Amino acid sequence: LWSPSFVPKPADWGETIEVAGFAFLDQASSYDPPRELTDFLEQGTAPFYIGFGSCVIEDPGAMTATLSEAVRMAGVRAILSRGWAGLGKELDDPDILVVGDLPHDWLFPHLAGLCHHGGAGTVAAGLRAGLPTIVVPFFGDQYFWGDAIARAGAGPAPIPGAGLNAEALAEAFAFCARPETRVRAQEIATGIREEDGANAAVAAFHRHLPVETMRCALDASHLAR
């Protein structure tokens, strides 16, 4: 379930594996944003989103300070998601709004770019919105997605969470502001929007059903149910 226009199917994968495209759960139409959020979006330049989802961070206070310093150094604004780590506690910065969970498909079209852990769902939502993306991976497939974004030119090389510092993140924000980075992110978004990952996945599922062996135990002339 990833976009073949973003990461093509590897040449050594056989016919039993299909790359269908990303699948999305659209929630924007039913979301009523709080006034604090809409006011923040209207009061300045488009912000970056910063969020590490369910990643657990050993020292949330130190991470919050690093993120705040990077935002200041880069001269950007940011929306900071608390996440499971509880980031942003006692943060008093007019250029950073701390939020809880909210629909990415509503928020992302209002942003200048993203900085997140590289979870597959967040990667997909950000690319569909055409946003330059900084990946700060902590474990697992997050490294894969960070490398894929960098290879595609839609963001800088990933910065592992264990080695994150304000200087490196500020440079990454600047990378996302480059015209060529923004153009590449928009090109990827165009490819993703032309795909229908959910229906392609369903079609692939049915194509690969072994109907010749899925026979009813009582009457082999019928498919099993």
PDB file of all heavy atoms in Angstrom, residues 163-183:
ATOM      1  N   GLY A 163      20.100  11.597  17.177  1.00  0.00           N
ATOM      2  CA  GLY A 163      21.123  12.591  16.886  1.00  0.00           C
ATOM      3  C   GLY A 163      20.572  13.949  16.517  1.00  0.00           C
ATOM      4  O   GLY A 163      21.310  14.795  15.990  1.00  0.00           O
ATOM      5  N   LEU A 164      19.306  14.191  16.797  1.00  0.00           N
ATOM      6  CA  LEU A 164      18.684  15.452  16.407  1.00  0.00           C
ATOM      7  C   LEU A 164      19.250  16.614  17.216  1.00  0.00           C
ATOM      8  O   LEU A 164      19.379  16.542  18.433  1.00  0.00           O
ATOM      9  CB  LEU A 164      17.169  15.369  16.622  1.00  0.00           C
ATOM     10  CG  LEU A 164      16.368  16.586  16.171  1.00  0.00           C
ATOM     11  CD1 LEU A 164      16.421  16.737  14.656  1.00  0.00           C
ATOM     12  CD2 LEU A 164      14.913  16.477  16.637  1.00  0.00           C
ATOM     13  N   ASN A 165      19.599  17.690  16.514  1.00  0.00           N
ATOM     14  CA  ASN A 165      20.000  18.922  17.187  1.00  0.00           C
ATOM     15  C   ASN A 165      19.413  20.102  16.438  1.00  0.00           C
ATOM     16  O   ASN A 165      18.952  19.971  15.293  1.00  0.00           O
ATOM     17  CB  ASN A 165      21.526  19.034  17.288  1.00  0.00           C
ATOM     18  CG  ASN A 165      22.207  19.025  15.934  1.00  0.00           C
ATOM     19  OD1 ASN A 165      22.085  19.974  15.161  1.00  0.00           O
ATOM     20  ND2 ASN A 165      22.919  17.946  15.618  1.00  0.00           N
ATOM     21  N   ALA A 166      19.400  21.254  17.081  1.00  0.00           N
ATOM     22  CA  ALA A 166      18.736  22.427  16.521  1.00  0.00           C
ATOM     23  C   ALA A 166      19.364  22.875  15.205  1.00  0.00           C
ATOM     24  O   ALA A 166      18.660  23.275  14.267  1.00  0.00           O
ATOM     25  CB  ALA A 166      18.740  23.565  17.537  1.00  0.00           C
ATOM     26  N   GLU A 167      20.686  22.815  15.119  1.00  0.00           N
ATOM     27  CA  GLU A 167      21.370  23.273  13.911  1.00  0.00           C
ATOM     28  C   GLU A 167      20.994  22.420  12.705  1.00  0.00           C
ATOM     29  O   GLU A 167      20.685  22.942  11.624  1.00  0.00           O
ATOM     30  CB  GLU A 167      22.884  23.250  14.117  1.00  0.00           C
ATOM     31  CG  GLU A 167      23.410  24.274  15.115  1.00  0.00           C
ATOM     32  CD  GLU A 167      23.164  23.879  16.572  1.00  0.00           C
ATOM     33  OE1 GLU A 167      22.792  22.695  16.825  1.00  0.00           O
ATOM     34  OE2 GLU A 167      23.335  24.736  17.453  1.00  0.00           O
ATOM     35  N   ALA A 168      21.016  21.100  12.884  1.00  0.00           N
ATOM     36  CA  ALA A 168      20.687  20.200  11.773  1.00  0.00           C
ATOM     37  C   ALA A 168      19.242  20.373  11.337  1.00  0.00           C
ATOM     38  O   ALA A 168      18.924  20.364  10.144  1.00  0.00           O
ATOM     39  CB  ALA A 168      20.950  18.755  12.181  1.00  0.00           C
ATOM     40  N   LEU A 169      18.348  20.548  12.308  1.00  0.00           N
ATOM     41  CA  LEU A 169      16.939  20.705  11.968  1.00  0.00           C
ATOM     42  C   LEU A 169      16.677  22.045  11.282  1.00  0.00           C
ATOM     43  O   LEU A 169      15.887  22.128  10.341  1.00  0.00           O
ATOM     44  CB  LEU A 169      16.074  20.566  13.223  1.00  0.00           C
ATOM     45  CG  LEU A 169      14.562  20.591  12.995  1.00  0.00           C
ATOM     46  CD1 LEU A 169      14.142  19.560  11.956  1.00  0.00           C
ATOM     47  CD2 LEU A 169      13.827  20.350  14.315  1.00  0.00           C
ATOM     48  N   ALA A 170      17.351  23.095  11.727  1.00  0.00           N
ATOM     49  CA  ALA A 170      17.197  24.401  11.072  1.00  0.00           C
ATOM     50  C   ALA A 170      17.649  24.324   9.616  1.00  0.00           C
ATOM     51  O   ALA A 170      17.015  24.896   8.709  1.00  0.00           O
ATOM     52  CB  ALA A 170      17.987  25.469  11.824  1.00  0.00           C
ATOM     53  N   GLU A 171      18.745  23.602   9.358  1.00  0.00           N
ATOM     54  CA  GLU A 171      19.215  23.421   7.984  1.00  0.00           C
ATOM     55  C   GLU A 171      18.192  22.624   7.169  1.00  0.00           C
ATOM     56  O   GLU A 171      17.991  22.883   5.977  1.00  0.00           O
ATOM     57  CB  GLU A 171      20.566  22.708   7.977  1.00  0.00           C
ATOM     58  CG  GLU A 171      21.716  23.549   8.521  1.00  0.00           C
ATOM     59  CD  GLU A 171      23.033  22.787   8.537  1.00  0.00           C
ATOM     60  OE1 GLU A 171      23.054  21.637   8.023  1.00  0.00           O
ATOM     61  OE2 GLU A 171      24.023  23.326   9.050  1.00  0.00           O
ATOM     62  N   ALA A 172      17.546  21.664   7.811  1.00  0.00           N
ATOM     63  CA  ALA A 172      16.536  20.864   7.119  1.00  0.00           C
ATOM     64  C   ALA A 172      15.324  21.721   6.752  1.00  0.00           C
ATOM     65  O   ALA A 172      14.740  21.565   5.668  1.00  0.00           O
ATOM     66  CB  ALA A 172      16.115  19.685   7.988  1.00  0.00           C
ATOM     67  N   PHE A 173      14.931  22.624   7.648  1.00  0.00           N
ATOM     68  CA  PHE A 173      13.844  23.550   7.320  1.00  0.00           C
ATOM     69  C   PHE A 173      14.212  24.384   6.090  1.00  0.00           C
ATOM     70  O   PHE A 173      13.383  24.605   5.195  1.00  0.00           O
ATOM     71  CB  PHE A 173      13.552  24.469   8.505  1.00  0.00           C
ATOM     72  CG  PHE A 173      12.786  23.841   9.630  1.00  0.00           C
ATOM     73  CD1 PHE A 173      13.183  24.023  10.952  1.00  0.00           C
ATOM     74  CD2 PHE A 173      11.661  23.084   9.386  1.00  0.00           C
ATOM     75  CE1 PHE A 173      12.478  23.453  11.997  1.00  0.00           C
ATOM     76  CE2 PHE A 173      10.939  22.502  10.425  1.00  0.00           C
ATOM     77  CZ  PHE A 173      11.354  22.688  11.733  1.00  0.00           C
ATOM     78  N   ALA A 174      15.439  24.845   6.040  1.00  0.00           N
ATOM     79  CA  ALA A 174      15.896  25.640   4.899  1.00  0.00           C
ATOM     80  C   ALA A 174      15.882  24.817   3.614  1.00  0.00           C
ATOM     81  O   ALA A 174      15.536  25.330   2.541  1.00  0.00           O
ATOM     82  CB  ALA A 174      17.297  26.193   5.168  1.00  0.00           C
ATOM     83  N   PHE A 175      16.256  23.544   3.713  1.00  0.00           N
ATOM     84  CA  PHE A 175      16.225  22.658   2.545  1.00  0.00           C
ATOM     85  C   PHE A 175      14.803  22.556   1.998  1.00  0.00           C
ATOM     86  O   PHE A 175      14.582  22.569   0.781  1.00  0.00           O
ATOM     87  CB  PHE A 175      16.744  21.275   2.943  1.00  0.00           C
ATOM     88  CG  PHE A 175      16.928  20.326   1.792  1.00  0.00           C
ATOM     89  CD1 PHE A 175      18.191  20.093   1.279  1.00  0.00           C
ATOM     90  CD2 PHE A 175      15.848  19.652   1.234  1.00  0.00           C
ATOM     91  CE1 PHE A 175      18.372  19.214   0.213  1.00  0.00           C
ATOM     92  CE2 PHE A 175      16.018  18.784   0.172  1.00  0.00           C
ATOM     93  CZ  PHE A 175      17.286  18.558  -0.334  1.00  0.00           C
ATOM     94  N   CYS A 176      13.839  22.463   2.898  1.00  0.00           N
ATOM     95  CA  CYS A 176      12.437  22.336   2.475  1.00  0.00           C
ATOM     96  C   CYS A 176      11.927  23.605   1.801  1.00  0.00           C
ATOM     97  O   CYS A 176      10.967  23.556   1.028  1.00  0.00           O
ATOM     98  CB  CYS A 176      11.559  21.999   3.678  1.00  0.00           C
ATOM     99  SG  CYS A 176      11.776  20.315   4.286  1.00  0.00           S
ATOM    100  N   ALA A 177      12.546  24.730   2.101  1.00  0.00           N
ATOM    101  CA  ALA A 177      12.112  25.999   1.513  1.00  0.00           C
ATOM    102  C   ALA A 177      12.661  26.217   0.109  1.00  0.00           C
ATOM    103  O   ALA A 177      12.238  27.149  -0.582  1.00  0.00           O
ATOM    104  CB  ALA A 177      12.526  27.153   2.420  1.00  0.00           C
ATOM    105  N   ARG A 178      13.586  25.377  -0.333  1.00  0.00           N
ATOM    106  CA  ARG A 178      14.152  25.539  -1.668  1.00  0.00           C
ATOM    107  C   ARG A 178      13.066  25.335  -2.729  1.00  0.00           C
ATOM    108  O   ARG A 178      12.244  24.414  -2.619  1.00  0.00           O
ATOM    109  CB  ARG A 178      15.274  24.531  -1.907  1.00  0.00           C
ATOM    110  CG  ARG A 178      16.482  24.691  -1.001  1.00  0.00           C
ATOM    111  CD  ARG A 178      17.491  23.589  -1.281  1.00  0.00           C
ATOM    112  NE  ARG A 178      18.632  23.653  -0.386  1.00  0.00           N
ATOM    113  CZ  ARG A 178      19.619  22.755  -0.375  1.00  0.00           C
ATOM    114  NH1 ARG A 178      19.585  21.734  -1.235  1.00  0.00           N
ATOM    115  NH2 ARG A 178      20.623  22.876   0.468  1.00  0.00           N
ATOM    116  N   PRO A 179      13.053  26.141  -3.763  1.00  0.00           N
ATOM    117  CA  PRO A 179      12.037  25.984  -4.817  1.00  0.00           C
ATOM    118  C   PRO A 179      12.044  24.589  -5.435  1.00  0.00           C
ATOM    119  O   PRO A 179      10.973  24.024  -5.701  1.00  0.00           O
ATOM    120  CB  PRO A 179      12.425  27.056  -5.840  1.00  0.00           C
ATOM    121  CG  PRO A 179      13.154  28.092  -5.053  1.00  0.00           C
ATOM    122  CD  PRO A 179      13.890  27.341  -3.988  1.00  0.00           C
ATOM    123  N   GLU A 180      13.223  24.017  -5.662  1.00  0.00           N
ATOM    124  CA  GLU A 180      13.277  22.707  -6.298  1.00  0.00           C
ATOM    125  C   GLU A 180      12.699  21.610  -5.406  1.00  0.00           C
ATOM    126  O   GLU A 180      12.116  20.630  -5.900  1.00  0.00           O
ATOM    127  CB  GLU A 180      14.714  22.351  -6.697  1.00  0.00           C
ATOM    128  CG  GLU A 180      15.716  22.303  -5.550  1.00  0.00           C
ATOM    129  CD  GLU A 180      16.418  23.619  -5.283  1.00  0.00           C
ATOM    130  OE1 GLU A 180      15.827  24.686  -5.578  1.00  0.00           O
ATOM    131  OE2 GLU A 180      17.558  23.585  -4.779  1.00  0.00           O
ATOM    132  N   THR A 181      12.831  21.776  -4.082  1.00  0.00           N
ATOM    133  CA  THR A 181      12.244  20.798  -3.168  1.00  0.00           C
ATOM    134  C   THR A 181      10.727  20.873  -3.211  1.00  0.00           C
ATOM    135  O   THR A 181      10.036  19.845  -3.262  1.00  0.00           O
ATOM    136  CB  THR A 181      12.730  21.038  -1.725  1.00  0.00           C
ATOM    137  OG1 THR A 181      14.159  21.127  -1.708  1.00  0.00           O
ATOM    138  CG2 THR A 181      12.287  19.912  -0.805  1.00  0.00           C
ATOM    139  N   ARG A 182      10.201  22.087  -3.225  1.00  0.00           N
ATOM    140  CA  ARG A 182       8.753  22.267  -3.259  1.00  0.00           C
ATOM    141  C   ARG A 182       8.177  21.753  -4.580  1.00  0.00           C
ATOM    142  O   ARG A 182       7.113  21.124  -4.603  1.00  0.00           O
ATOM    143  CB  ARG A 182       8.404  23.732  -3.046  1.00  0.00           C
ATOM    144  CG  ARG A 182       8.989  24.322  -1.764  1.00  0.00           C
ATOM    145  CD  ARG A 182       8.346  25.651  -1.410  1.00  0.00           C
ATOM    146  NE  ARG A 182       6.950  25.461  -1.048  1.00  0.00           N
ATOM    147  CZ  ARG A 182       6.532  25.025   0.138  1.00  0.00           C
ATOM    148  NH1 ARG A 182       7.419  24.751   1.084  1.00  0.00           N
ATOM    149  NH2 ARG A 182       5.269  24.876   0.387  1.00  0.00           N
ATOM    150  N   VAL A 183       8.877  22.006  -5.681  1.00  0.00           N
ATOM    151  CA  VAL A 183       8.414  21.523  -6.987  1.00  0.00           C
ATOM    152  C   VAL A 183       8.375  20.001  -7.003  1.00  0.00           C
ATOM    153  O   VAL A 183       7.415  19.385  -7.484  1.00  0.00           O
ATOM    154  CB  VAL A 183       9.313  22.063  -8.113  1.00  0.00           C
ATOM    155  CG1 VAL A 183       9.043  21.320  -9.420  1.00  0.00           C
ATOM    156  CG2 VAL A 183       9.093  23.553  -8.305  1.00  0.00           C
TER     157      VAL A 183
END
